[in-house]
Amino acid sequence: MRLLRHYTDVADSVRGAVAAIGNFDGLHLGHQAVIGEAGRLAHAAGRPWGVVTFEPHPYAVFHPEAAPFRLTPFRIKAALLDTLGLDVGFFLPFDEALHTRPPEAFADDILVDGLGLAHVVVGEDFAFGHRRAGDVATLAAAARRHGFGLSVFSKITDDAGLSYSSTKVRHFLASGQPHLAARLLGRAWNIEGRVEGGDRRGRTIGFPTANIALGDHLVPAHGVYAVRAAVVDEGPARWIAGVANLGRRPTVDGKSLLLEVHLLDGAPDLYGRHLRVALIEFVRPEKKFDGLDALRAQIARDCEQARRVLASDQTPLAVGDRAPPPGAVERIV
Ligand code: RBF
Ligand code: MG
């Protein structure tokens, strides 16, 4: 996938794309349905398959003080789109010049003159331009004016009537329900980061851990999780079973927020490697123990519980493992 950060001087080879537009944080199954429809149309027309998305996320621009909330930080979102097979990702910088444009100018200057899109696919709640004043009707008017195509998805839900929404996924993670988040995502949610040097105390209590900081990732419920982990800087992911604590380690007066992963079947030294950690199931909240013996005994029980959970778990782990729902899409222009 070509990743572009600008909308001027766009190469002819990626103009004329069929593109889905959205923030696509999480790349959940609803996003995948919309992006997949753009892919089908692109393929049929022999055109590049693209997305138009915004970085930083608009919410972070309007709420700079907000706690980290991303399901898929920029680089991870880009890597996942690449996995799906897109030709081009227009990751437009969400700056003042972009977000103060009236909707008509956004369509004229950026979608048409800048990117030269042939067809656009959006969800029915799509809003764009200064103060989100533009909607699907505004976009349809621009499409007729300029002669690009427009397809619109109605809201889609899973078999149980749960609607695909990034906000819902965030809520499930913040409330310790990663299995529900996984249902909407079509895969387990994961945190990716570089393994940091720790205080090595884990070793002395018999449970060495690989520690990663959360960076821009949303902070899920603090506590212990059954996880699968994979080193991602060397070829395809090979998942291994683990148990992890996410929190501040009150028993040992930990300060920083960390994800500490203990691999159940022993592990090579992962220091400095990039680890992807998929949260499978919440085991228990983090606690302050009276001393290391009590903590050690509890961690041993956590390991047993994680083994049990993982032995029967079937949660898909990679984007593309589960197909997005068909959904209702209508060609408007
Ligand atoms: N630290 C706590 O203070 N409270 C906990 O409930 C807690 N649970 C943990 C569970 C697991 C499975 C692991 C691997 C660690 C846990 N820790 C907890 C963190 C522990 O204090 C830390 O890994 C060591 O002190 C090394 O830094
Ligand atoms: Mg450690």
Side-chain angles (χ1 to χ4, degrees):
M1 181 180 80
R2 292 269 304 270
L3 191 160
L4 277 74
R5 291 289 279 150
H6 52 85
Y7 50 85
T8 53
D9 302 313
V10 170
D12 283 343
S13 58
V14 290
R15 288 179 64 87
V18 179
I21 311 181
N23 292 316
F24 301 132
D25 185 34
L27 220 66
H28 60 57
L29 289 172
H31 296 149
Q32 291 176 46
V34 174
I35 294 167
E37 176 66 12
R40 272 185 294 281
L41 295 169
H43 184 77
R47 292 182 171 280
W49 175 22
V51 296
V52 177
T53 191
F54 308 96
E55 289 291 344
H57 192 291
Y59 187 84
V61 172
F62 295 124
H63 304 272
E65 73 301 336
F69 66 92
R70 294 295 296 270
L71 297 169
T72 49
F74 181 173
R75 291 292 155 191
I76 294 174
K77 186 168 86 178
L80 293 173
L81 289 166
D82 191 42
T83 304
L84 290 177
L86 276 96
D87 298 308
V88 58
F90 300 108
F91 282 66
L92 304 184
F94 196 77
D95 54 15
E96 179 114 355
L98 186 115
H99 72 72
T100 55
R101 266 193 173 68
E104 293 76 14
F106 176 85
D108 299 355
D109 304 348
I110 298 178
L111 302 184
V112 177
D113 294 345
L115 308 181
L117 299 183
H119 194 107
V120 168
V121 185
V122 295
E124 66 181 1
D125 57 354
F126 180 68
F128 69 107
H130 193 40
R131 299 181 192 281
R132 295 171 58 87
D135 58 10
V136 164
T138 323
L139 192 58
R144 292 193 191 94
R145 197 159 67 237
H146 291 288
F148 65 86
L150 174 64
S151 298
V152 177
F153 256 91
S154 315
K155 272 251 165 287
I156 37 186
T157 59
D158 77 354
D159 316 333
L162 201 56
S163 59
Y164 295 101
S165 131
S166 302
T167 306
K168 281 215 172 89
V169 177
R170 292 188 193 104
H171 162 78
F172 287 142
L173 292 169
S175 57
Q177 304 181 87
H179 52 290
L180 292 178
R183 245 171 61 187
L184 297 183
L185 291 170
R187 64 187 191 281
W189 184 65
N190 57 56
I191 293 171
E192 219 173 284
R194 187 170 172 275
V195 178
E196 300 178 344
D199 56 12
R200 310 241 150 200
R201 189 190 283 105
R203 258 168 234 285
T204 67
I205 66 168
F207 297 97
T209 59
N211 305 345
I212 62 183
L214 292 184
D216 289 341
H217 289 96
L218 159 129
V219 179
H222 287 199
V224 177
Y225 292 83
V227 304
R228 297 191 199 276
V231 175
V232 287
D233 37 19
E234 44 186 46
R238 216 170 45 75
W239 293 97
I240 42 187
V243 61
N245 186 61
L246 191 152
R248 296 186 190 273
R249 293 143 285 136
T251 311
V252 298
D253 279 327
K255 301 259 176 321
S256 57
L257 179 64
L258 275 183
L259 178 65
E260 294 190 300
V261 186
H262 171 69
L263 299 168
L264 292 173
D265 299 307
D269 191 359
L270 296 175
Y271 179 68
R273 313 288 271 288
H274 278 88
L275 203 61
R276 181 177 297 162
V277 183
L279 305 188
I280 305 294
E281 198 169 298
F282 188 76
V283 170
R284 66 168 175 88
E286 190 179 39
K287 276 175 46 181
K288 180 168 175 132
F289 289 91
D290 302 329
L292 292 180
D293 285 340
L295 173 62
R296 191 187 292 119
Q298 179 59 51
I299 294 178
R301 289 192 290 274
D302 295 337
C303 290
E304 286 322 303
Q305 172 131 16
R307 269 186 209 286
R308 268 197 302 280
V309 166
L310 295 173
S312 61
D313 173 70
Q314 302 278 346
T315 309
L317 295 165
V319 69
D321 281 358
R322 177 151 302 165
V329 61
E330 194 186 339
R331 180 159 185 168
I332 306 281
V333 178

